[in-house]
C-alpha cells in the first residue's frame, strides 16, 4: 500500500468503514510508515475530539484511545485469520472423512464380492 492510498483510508478507518482486507493492509502500512502514522494521529485527534465535544464526554487521553483502536483492529484481523484457518481445517477434515468412508465401503464391497 502506498502512502497516498493509506492517507485516503485514514477517515474510513477512524469511522470503522474499512473492509477486512483494507484494514489489514492499512495497519501494516501504519506500522511501517511514521509519516502516515502521524497523519492518522492528527486526524484521529481532531475527529475524536470533536465527537467528544459534541457528546460532552471527556476522555482526554485521545492518543491512548487511538492505541486502543489500533489494538482492537489488530485483534479483529487476528480473529478473522483464525476463523479462516478453522474453516480450511474443517473443510480438509470433511474431505478426508469422506475419502476414508468411501475406501472403507469399497473394502466391505470387495469382501462381499460385489467389486
Amino acid at each position: 500500500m502506498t502512502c497516498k492510498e493509506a492517507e485516503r483510508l485514514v477517515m474510513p478507518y477512524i469511522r470503522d468503514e474499512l473492509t477486512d482486507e483494507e484494514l489489514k493492509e492499512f495497519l501494516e502500512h501504519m506500522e511501517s510508515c511514521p509519516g502516515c502514522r502521524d497523519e492518522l494521529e492528527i486526524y484521529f485527534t481532531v475527529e475524536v475530539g470533536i465527537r467528544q465535544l459534541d457528546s460532552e464526554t471527556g476522555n482526554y487521553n485521545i492518543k491512548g484511545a487511538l492505541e486502543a483502536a489500533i489494538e482492537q483492529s489488530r485483534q479483529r484481523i487476528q480473529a478473522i485469520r483464525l476463523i479462516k484457518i478453522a474453516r480450511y481445517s474443517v473443510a480438509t477434515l470433511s474431505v478426508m472423512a469422506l475419502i476414508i468412508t468411501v475406501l472403507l465401503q469399497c473394502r466391505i464391497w470387495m469382501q462381499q464380492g460385489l467389486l
Side-chain angles (χ1 to χ4, degrees):
M1 174 174 286
T2 65
C3 290
K4 190 157 191 89
E5 292 170 331
E7 289 171 5
R8 182 181 57 80
L9 295 176
V10 167
M11 289 310 293
Y13 171 75
I14 293 170
R15 294 180 182 140
D16 198 27
E17 299 172 347
L18 297 181
T19 65
D20 296 334
E21 188 59 35
E22 287 173 330
L23 180 61
K24 181 177 181 246
E25 291 178 25
F26 180 79
L27 290 176
E28 288 172 357
H29 184 81
M30 287 299 142
E31 290 174 2
S32 66
C33 183
C36 289
R37 177 64 181 246
D38 290 342
E39 192 82 13
L40 172 62
E41 288 179 12
I42 291 167
Y43 278 95
F44 188 86
T45 300
V46 170
E47 181 76 13
V48 171
I50 289 172
R51 273 192 234 151
Q52 289 178 358
L53 286 174
D54 287 344
S55 66
E56 298 179 5
T57 59
N59 177 6
Y60 299 105
N61 185 8
I62 294 177
K63 184 166 177 118
L66 173 59
E67 293 303 321
I70 290 172
E71 183 59 31
Q72 185 178 17
S73 296
R74 285 184 188 132
Q75 289 174 356
R76 176 179 161 192
I77 295 300
Q78 182 68 14
I80 290 166
R81 185 175 154 266
L82 291 174
I83 289 169
K84 284 182 181 179
I85 290 171
R87 187 181 305 145
Y88 291 135
S89 298
V90 168
T92 301
L93 290 172
S94 298
V95 168
M96 290 175 67
L98 179 65
I99 291 170
I100 290 170
T101 302
V102 168
L103 290 174
L104 289 173
Q105 186 62 47
C106 287
R107 182 174 173 211
I108 291 170
W109 288 336
M110 286 175 61
Q111 289 175 347
Q112 294 175 350
L114 298 173
L115 284 181

